[in-house]
Amino acid sequence: MPQMNLGGTGQSVDASYDTINSAFFTLMNEKPVVKTLATKLTLKPGEGSAKNIIDWSRFTAARIDDGIEMTLGQALSDAQVSYKPTEIGVMCELADTLVDRVADRQLVGRVGTMMGDAYNLLEDTEGCDQMANWTTSIGAATRVMQIGHLTAIAAGLAVGNSLTTIEPAPDPKFLLLHPAALTVVVNRMMPLSDVPTGTNVYIGTTDARGTTFGQGTNTMTEQLLKRGPKALGTVSDIPIFTDANLGVDADNDSDQGGFSKAGLIYVNEKEPSMKSEYSIKRRSWTYVMVGRNIWGTHRPAAYGVRLITDAVIPTS
């Protein structure tokens, strides 16, 4: 039989084969969510280094006896909260040889996109981190989320987390939850069960026990199965938003929360912009993206509630 010549690794013709990379992709990040839920303030040129918010004191009214001189004068006071933006930066240096030889001819433009993604990721993560700063906290480490947690947040915000000094958190209000934690709520509300409803509860740290719908299946149950957390939409008239950038610690516990838009502050001084510089000595291009902003909370005792629950993906 005639000799057949084959090409490729381990074959007689190998060295002359070029390795061609024909497709290039960047990794996905969670799309920014928190900035759309915050009160956005701009620190303009000439306004100094910080954005200041002033809270005026509360007055108290009283009944007055007929004919008696009014003596209950109210003291007026103010309290200042300052938010000082700091810089966020991303830098990447590309050697001339790399740019000239790399197969991805769109690399420079792709690097710009990747730097923008990194900037947005840090910005969104820092916004999520504010959920740990609300004064009132419910839930606990290792506890799975329940629908009662969400209605409790709504009740707390309705009175400013106080039954004596009422300060209702103004609308709009939001629930910001980790998708892995919210899944437990969805599965407990369906419910999934192979025995009569109420005797087999979904366990978020393992999986959904049972294979069929329990008694009382309705349209909402079907929507929860088809659409997951999106089917919930709102709880106690507060819309639900999920963000995978909410922090999860080593024990799979996550700081989440419910809050008024007036309570979450985002101050922007400078939008991110990318600049480039060529170094003749290093024979390379350096790309730098820098912006300036800061996150903070306002009236944290009244305008938000911290929620601590388990956020774990079932593995069994």
Side-chain angles (χ1 to χ4, degrees):
M1 180 179 294
Q3 172 68 37
M4 179 183 294
N5 294 300
L6 300 176
T9 303
Q11 304 298 332
S12 57
V13 178
D14 185 4
S16 61
Y17 262 42
D18 285 335
T19 300
I20 299 176
N21 298 310
S22 56
F24 304 90
F25 299 96
T26 56
L27 301 182
M28 292 294 296
N29 288 324
E30 173 79 309
K31 293 181 179 179
V33 175
V34 190
K35 194 159 66 172
T36 63
L37 312 180
T39 295
K40 301 175 188 175
L41 303 175
T42 301
L43 183 63
K44 300 177 182 178
E47 288 187 344
S49 62
K51 197 73 172 180
N52 300 319
I53 293 179
I54 299 295
D55 289 317
W56 292 105
S57 57
R58 186 193 300 264
F59 285 168
T60 302
R63 292 197 175 276
I64 308 169
D65 293 332
D66 189 24
I68 301 300
E69 181 180 356
M70 189 171 183
T71 59
L72 296 175
Q74 297 296 303
L76 179 63
S77 64
D78 57 6
Q80 177 180 289
V81 183
S82 298
Y83 304 89
K84 185 177 181 179
T86 56
E87 289 187 330
I88 294 178
V90 189
M91 185 180 77
C92 181
E93 184 177 9
L94 301 178
D96 274 352
T97 51
L98 169 63
V99 175
D100 291 342
R101 296 170 180 173
V102 70
D104 185 357
R105 303 319 300 159
Q106 305 300 319
L107 176 63
V108 173
R110 215 179 302 277
V111 164
T113 299
M114 294 162 66
M115 293 173 70
D117 288 345
Y119 186 98
N120 290 335
L121 176 61
L122 177 59
E123 192 175 61
D124 192 65
T125 300
E126 291 183 341
C128 288
D129 291 343
Q130 299 304 309
M131 295 302 102
N133 294 334
W134 305 119
T135 304
T136 299
S137 178
I138 64 173
T142 72
R143 297 273 183 87
V144 296
M145 187 185 297
Q146 303 180 43
I147 193 67
H149 286 132
L150 308 186
T151 56
I153 289 175
L157 294 178
V159 295
N161 296 314
S162 174
L163 297 177
T164 54
T165 306
I166 310 300
E167 188 182 352
D171 289 329
K173 296 186 280 285
F174 309 105
L175 291 166
L176 184 63
L177 309 173
H178 196 285
L182 186 57
T183 298
V184 181
V185 175
V186 172
N187 283 278
R188 283 190 165 186
M189 290 179 66
M190 278 196 268
L192 291 174
S193 177
D194 55 3
V195 294
T197 304
T199 60
N200 198 357
V201 178
Y202 176 84
I203 300 175
T205 54
T206 55
D207 56 9
R209 293 183 175 177
T211 56
T212 63
F213 288 116
Q215 296 177 352
T217 299
N218 53 37
T219 303
M220 184 62 183
T221 296
E222 295 173 0
Q223 288 301 309
L224 287 168
L225 181 59
K226 290 179 180 179
R227 303 182 61 226
K230 291 183 178 180
L232 287 175
T234 61
V235 171
S236 296
D237 206 33
I238 301 180
I240 294 174
F241 290 84
T242 60
D243 195 326
N245 290 328
L246 286 159
V248 179
D249 65 18
D251 296 319
N252 295 321
D253 300 312
S254 179
D255 279 315
Q256 304 149 89
F259 56 94
S260 164
K261 185 172 185 176
L264 184 61
I265 305 298
Y266 170 82
V267 179
N268 184 59
E269 183 179 7
K270 182 181 180 181
E271 291 291 343
S273 60
M274 190 170 78
K275 297 181 180 180
S276 60
E277 179 182 65
Y278 185 74
S279 171
I280 297 177
K281 291 183 178 180
R282 293 177 61 84
R283 300 171 304 286
S284 65
W285 283 95
T286 299
Y287 301 91
V288 177
M289 177 176 288
V290 176
R292 201 177 301 135
N293 57 54
I294 195 68
W295 287 95
T297 56
H298 178 236
R299 308 295 293 167
Y303 288 2
V305 178
R306 178 188 184 189
L307 173 60
I308 306 172
T309 70
D310 193 70
V312 63
I313 300 173
T315 58
S316 61

